[in-house]
Amino acid sequence: MIDNIRKNYIYNLCYQVLIVIIPLVMTPYISRVLGSTNLGIYDYCLSISTLIVTFSLLGIGNYANRQIAYTRNNKESLSKTFYEILCGKLFLGIIALIIFTMVCYFNRIYFKYLIIFLVWIIANILDCTWLYLGVEDMQYTVAKNIIAKLIFVVGTFIFIRDKSDLSLYIFLFGISVLIANLLAYTQVPKYVNKCSISFKNMYIHIWNSFKLFIPTVTTQIFLSIDKLILGSMSDNISNVSIYSNADKIIQIPLSLITVMNVVMMPRLANEFSKNNKDKINEHLINSAEISMFMAFPICLGLFVVSDNLIPWFLGDEFFESINTLKLLTPVVIGNTLIGISANQYFIATNQNKILIISSVCSTCINLILDIALVPIYGVKGICIATVLSIIITVVIQYHYMNKQLKIKSIYLAMYRYFIYSVFMSLCIFFITSKMKPSPLCTLLQVVLGGIIYISICIIKKDKVIMELISMVKVIIYKNKG
């Protein structure tokens, strides 16, 4: 059982490493070729498309993942669940296409760009990788995602040459996802049989998905609404790309942490179906400690390296992204904590009410603060609103989780890794503060920070690093044998 968790974690980690590498290669190129204005248009249109997909599909992928985990031990029940949810998703997809077409018609300014996102929306409607996530067989999901990324990267470097290629860039983004999602269906017969379905059950799944919808898509809503409001209320559309690129830089290392959410939620859901509360607590604490071990050095490390990173990584047009990135760094800690409480525990244990309370409160506050702060502070206002909204979500969710589980060790881990990370960050700052921005300097900062942080953990005999060292030793001994 633990081996399966580790295997799935490794599969997803390999993909997340690719997700880290690809932006490092693509972003410096695309930010210079398309420029801040074109990327602002791209991010603005993507936020509109994402909102429509998110609201129309009711976050059914998250619900489907959980339901597959509940029924995976019975192939007949699994098959019925899969086809009923798939039909429900296709039905919701038709609604999404109708709404999107209407939005395109009324948005004349960016119509020619929005309409191309239709390919990406169809790709999301047809996505079936929630089946593989639910049965905890991540290799097909990872393979599908890798194919999509590689098609997009290769196509970008071959076909995107100047600022007039924005439309083609959007099409490449959509078609790469569509091809990969269609390929994912080739392995579906391995897990499900042909069977009759109940349309009544299909509508029940849609309704249950709606009940899970608000709490599971809060982060997506935050990002999309932020960009939409910034693009609508700001004088310069390039402000959207200033904010979006800073957020993307944060998401690059954060993706290494969110692997735990993808891997652990189906496991916790399965343990919940067996009423194994002790196992749920054990798995959650272990997952949380590993996540905190990574989150704090990433958060404080990004704050320190931002002055050096932005100028060479994004170019002169994105100089304002430096302060934006610094303001957004607390998002790393906040989203990691929400990943533990919401995406792993509350979703797995079907506690929708708690998720809805926290999500509605934070989303409303985020929206109010966005509208109030953007006209005055612009991009900085969006950052402040985002961080405060995430803090509210964390406070509410951990108030309830603290009543149900013994999570004192999570708080102790946060304190411990915060101290280690502060020392690491101060060392990086004093050693590299007078160096000029360059890829070599950023690499030195990352390597130096990693060595200092890991050394502190080894000296303190930290639980996570000791277990990691033990795993490496086992692998080495096995290979020698």
Side-chain angles (χ1 to χ4, degrees):
M1 192 175 288
I2 296 298
D3 287 340
N4 198 37
I5 293 175
R6 287 176 179 168
K7 182 180 73 173
N8 289 327
Y9 181 79
I10 291 169
Y11 279 136
N12 276 276
L13 187 61
C14 290
Y15 172 63
Q16 298 302 335
V17 168
L18 183 67
I19 291 235
V20 169
I21 294 171
I22 286 175
L24 294 177
V25 175
M26 278 189 64
T27 304
Y29 174 77
I30 210 67
S31 63
R32 288 164 173 82
V33 171
L34 293 181
S36 59
T37 300
N38 273 337
L39 286 179
I41 294 171
Y42 169 82
D43 288 320
Y44 179 71
C45 293
L46 179 59
S47 68
I48 294 174
S49 304
T50 302
L51 274 175
I52 291 172
V53 167
T54 302
F55 279 104
S56 300
L57 296 185
L58 303 178
I60 199 167
N62 292 302
Y63 167 79
N65 182 0
R66 188 185 71 184
Q67 292 308 114
I68 295 296
Y70 285 162
T71 60
R72 70 186 187 202
N73 296 328
N74 184 316
K75 193 165 186 177
E76 182 180 349
S77 179
L78 172 64
S79 300
K80 284 181 66 64
T81 301
F82 171 76
Y83 284 114
E84 286 166 357
I85 292 176
L86 182 63
C87 289
K89 192 179 183 190
L90 293 175
F91 172 75
L92 293 173
I94 294 171
I95 297 174
L97 292 174
I98 294 170
I99 295 172
F100 184 75
T101 304
M102 292 172 62
V103 170
C104 290
Y105 178 78
F106 288 107
N107 194 320
R108 291 299 182 184
I109 299 175
Y110 300 116
F111 174 83
K112 70 174 184 177
Y113 301 115
L114 271 172
I115 199 68
I116 305 172
F117 273 100
L118 192 64
V119 179
W120 179 77
I121 289 178
I122 292 171
N124 276 272
I125 293 169
L126 296 176
D127 181 24
C128 71
T129 49
W130 38 269
L131 169 66
Y132 306 120
L133 294 174
V135 297
E136 293 190 68
D137 193 349
M138 309 295 185
Q139 59 181 319
Y140 300 113
T141 302
V142 171
K144 184 270 293 185
N145 289 334
I146 289 175
I147 290 170
K149 291 295 179 185
L150 291 179
I151 292 173
F152 184 46
V153 171
V154 173
T156 297
F157 281 111
I158 292 175
F159 299 110
I160 309 303
R161 296 295 182 182
D162 55 49
K163 292 183 178 181
S164 64
D165 291 329
L166 177 59
S167 297
L168 182 57
Y169 182 71
I170 296 170
F171 177 75
L172 283 172
F173 172 65
I175 199 67
S176 62
V177 178
L178 179 60
I179 291 171
N181 283 352
L182 290 175
L183 288 174
Y185 281 88
T186 58
Q187 298 299 320
V188 167
K190 178 180 177 181
Y191 297 97
V192 300
N193 298 324
K194 292 180 180 180
C195 62
S196 59
I197 64 169
S198 165
F199 284 100
K200 180 182 177 181
N201 287 342
M202 183 188 83
Y203 290 114
I204 290 173
H205 287 306
I206 291 175
W207 173 244
N208 289 336
S209 176
F210 173 72
K211 290 192 289 185
L212 188 63
F213 163 65
I214 293 176
T216 58
V217 297
T218 303
T219 303
Q220 278 183 304
I221 291 172
F222 276 174
L223 289 173
S224 298
I225 289 180
D226 287 345
K227 294 172 189 175
L228 193 60
I229 291 176
L230 191 58
S232 301
M233 301 183 70
S234 176
D235 296 333
N236 194 343
I237 193 68
S238 64
N239 284 337
V240 179
S241 63
I242 296 294
Y243 171 76
S244 181
N245 274 286
D247 177 68
K248 286 174 186 175
I249 290 173
I250 284 177
Q251 297 305 322
I252 291 171
L254 186 59
S255 63
L256 298 175
I257 304 173
T258 54
V259 174
M260 294 300 299
N261 302 335
V262 176
V263 172
M264 292 305 301
M265 198 284 281
R267 171 63 49 174
L268 295 178
N270 193 250
E271 296 293 352
F272 176 70
S273 68
K274 300 174 185 176
N275 200 29
N276 290 337
K277 187 174 181 179
D278 290 338
K279 279 290 183 182
I280 291 173
N281 206 120
E282 179 187 341
H283 286 317
L284 193 73
I285 295 301
N286 289 336
S287 171
E289 289 180 344
I290 294 170
S291 298
M292 292 298 104
F293 170 79
M294 294 187 286
F296 277 95
I298 288 173
C299 173
L300 295 176
L302 280 172
F303 188 92
V304 173
V305 306
S306 56
D307 289 295
N308 184 283
L309 173 65
I310 298 297
W312 70 262
F313 189 60
L314 295 177
D316 295 336
E317 287 188 57
F318 293 89
F319 187 78
E320 291 181 44
S321 290
I322 294 175
N323 289 330
T324 305
L325 178 58
K326 287 181 178 180
L327 287 170
L328 286 175
T329 50
V331 169
V332 176
I333 307 298
N335 280 355
T336 301
L337 287 169
I338 292 170
I340 295 163
S341 57
N343 298 343
Q344 292 185 38
Y345 180 64
F346 287 126
I347 291 177
T349 54
N350 201 22
Q351 299 188 63
N352 298 338
K353 184 178 178 180
I354 294 172
L355 291 170
I356 290 171
I357 291 171
S358 64
S359 299
V360 169
C361 289
S362 58
T363 302
C364 290
I365 289 171
N366 183 67
L367 185 60
I368 293 168
L369 289 175
D370 278 349
I371 295 171
L373 297 177
V374 167
I376 305 171
Y377 300 107
V379 178
K380 292 179 182 177
I382 287 286
C383 296
I384 294 168
T386 299
V387 172
L388 289 177
S389 301
I390 289 174
I391 290 172
I392 289 166
T393 304
V394 170
V395 170
I396 294 173
Q397 291 186 3
Y398 277 76
H399 168 74
Y400 286 105
M401 193 166 76
N402 193 48
K403 292 181 177 180
Q404 300 178 22
L405 298 174
K406 299 174 183 178
I407 58 173
K408 183 180 178 181
S409 56
I410 297 178
Y411 301 134
L412 293 174
M414 290 174 64
Y415 172 76
R416 183 169 68 247
Y417 296 130
F418 172 72
I419 298 298
Y420 298 168
S421 299
V422 168
F423 183 79
M424 174 203 75
S425 301
L426 290 173
C427 291
I428 294 172
F429 176 76
F430 286 117
I431 294 172
T432 65
S433 59
K434 294 184 179 181
M435 295 180 69
K436 293 182 179 181
S438 68
L440 185 62
C441 179
T442 302
L443 179 62
L444 175 63
Q445 289 176 318
V446 172
V447 172
L448 182 64
I451 292 172
I452 293 170
Y453 184 73
I454 292 172
S455 298
I456 295 171
C457 290
I458 292 173
I459 291 170
K460 301 297 290 185
K461 294 183 179 179
D462 182 75
K463 175 186 172 183
V464 173
I465 199 70
M466 290 296 107
E467 288 182 356
L468 183 61
I469 292 171
S470 298
M471 286 175 60
V472 172
K473 286 180 178 178
V474 169
I475 293 171
I476 292 172
Y477 290 144
K478 279 185 178 180
N479 290 335
K480 284 184 178 180

